[in-house]
Every structure is written in structure tokens, then in C-alpha cells.
Amino acid sequence: MKNCVLITPLLALSSCAMFGGLSAEERDAVNSYRDRAGKYFNARLYERAIDQANSGLQLDPQNYDLHGRRAWSYLQLSISTSIRSDRDLLTAESIFSNIIDWRQDDDHDPRTLYGYAITLHNRARVTESQAAQLRDQPSPDSTSSARAEEVTNRSQAYDRQADIYFQKI
């Protein structure tokens, strides 16, 4: 029984995960997922683009381009929908941040830096709006005023960070 527990997870791993490289078939599949993610993104079908990127990442978890397409799709989804926009924007921020951490800034695709800058800018607008709501409460107390100040400072920090990435482009 113990052998089954150890062997079963290995069956789901790609050759990349087990041996350190993709087979030709896996490379072709990753390229197909990447291409379809791009086509869905261009057609503004962001959820489908995310699904394709996720499928490709199952085969090649460190694929820079697939992570970038996924991050851009979440960013666009956050702009195009109001239902999940905050969650999608946070997801885009997390993915872009992880991608940025992988490489030196000079080694990034400029679209990645631009996407991260836009994401940070949008996060600043969201937190700015939250601060305004806290300040506009009918009877603000000292706690809500302090919270509004904290959120305003966070918004300004996002703007400063966004400016850094806009300048790097």
C-alpha cells in the first residue's frame, strides 16, 4: 500500500518535473497552450486564456511567457469585470510580482514591467478609493481616520512603486 502512495503522484508528473527537461511532445503542447492563451486574450476571453496558461504551466511550471499571459489576463479581467475585480487585481499583482522576482529588471520583457506598473497603478486607485470611503463616513471616529491615513499611505506607496517600473520601461 505504501508503494501506491509513492508511485501515484509520480504518474501525474511531466518528464520535466521528473528528469529536468521537456520532451518534444510536451514542448509542442506548451507552445499550443501558449498560442491558445494568446488567441483567447486577444479575443478578450480572459478566463479561457487563464485556463490555457494554467494547462501549459502544469507541464512547464517555470514558463515565463505563460505566467506573463496569465498575469495580463487577470489584469484585464480585473478591468473588464466589476464582480471579481479586486480579487483578480490581487492575483495579477501576485503573479507579476513573482515573475519580477525571477530575473533582473534588464532581463524582463518590457511588457512584463509595463503590466506590473499598470497593476500597481490600479492597486493605488483601489486603495485611494477605499481611503476616500473611510474619510467620507457620516461620523468618522479616530480609528477610521487613522485607517484612512494608513490606506492613503499604502496608495501612495503603490504609486511610487508603479512610477519606478514605468521609468524602467
Side-chain angles (χ1 to χ4, degrees):
M1 190 65 166
K2 289 181 183 178
N3 289 341
C4 292
V5 174
L6 294 174
I7 293 173
T8 303
L10 293 177
L11 295 176
L13 294 176
S14 68
S15 66
C16 177
M18 290 189 292
F19 304 112
L22 292 175
S23 68
E25 293 83 15
E26 289 170 325
R27 255 191 324 277
D28 289 344
V30 168
N31 288 335
S32 292
Y33 286 124
R34 188 195 70 233
D35 292 345
R36 284 193 300 267
K39 288 176 184 176
Y40 283 129
F41 181 88
N42 291 337
R44 298 180 182 183
L45 298 170
Y46 306 120
E47 290 172 334
R48 287 186 179 178
I50 291 166
D51 290 342
Q52 292 300 304
N54 285 339
S55 294
L57 289 169
Q58 288 178 354
L59 294 172
D60 188 3
Q62 299 301 315
N63 188 292
Y64 179 89
D65 191 47
L66 284 171
H67 280 286
R69 289 171 191 249
R70 187 170 166 250
W72 268 102
S73 295
Y74 274 110
L75 175 59
Q76 289 303 117
L77 199 57
S78 75
I79 294 167
S80 67
T81 62
S82 60
I83 297 169
R84 305 178 340 194
S85 63
D86 289 342
R87 186 178 70 201
D88 292 332
L89 186 58
L90 285 170
T91 302
E93 179 186 9
S94 175
I95 297 167
F96 275 125
S97 176
N98 288 336
I99 296 170
I100 295 295
D101 288 345
W102 288 352
R103 299 179 176 179
Q104 298 294 323
D105 291 339
D106 293 345
D107 294 334
H108 281 291
D109 183 327
R111 292 173 293 193
T112 300
L113 298 175
Y114 182 68
Y116 191 45
I118 292 291
T119 301
L120 294 170
H121 173 78
N122 289 355
R123 289 282 292 139
R125 301 296 69 79
V126 168
T127 55
E128 191 176 87
S129 173
Q130 292 168 345
Q133 289 173 356
L134 287 168
R135 282 191 297 274
D136 293 343
Q137 289 181 350
S139 57
D141 59 9
S142 62
T143 305
S144 65
S145 295
R147 178 83 174 120
E149 183 66 25
E150 175 197 341
V151 175
T152 297
N153 290 339
R154 190 177 321 132
S155 173
Q156 292 168 351
Y158 277 122
D159 270 334
R160 284 190 300 274
Q161 195 176 7
D163 286 343
I164 290 168
Y165 283 96
F166 279 127
Q167 291 173 11
K168 289 181 182 188
I169 297 173

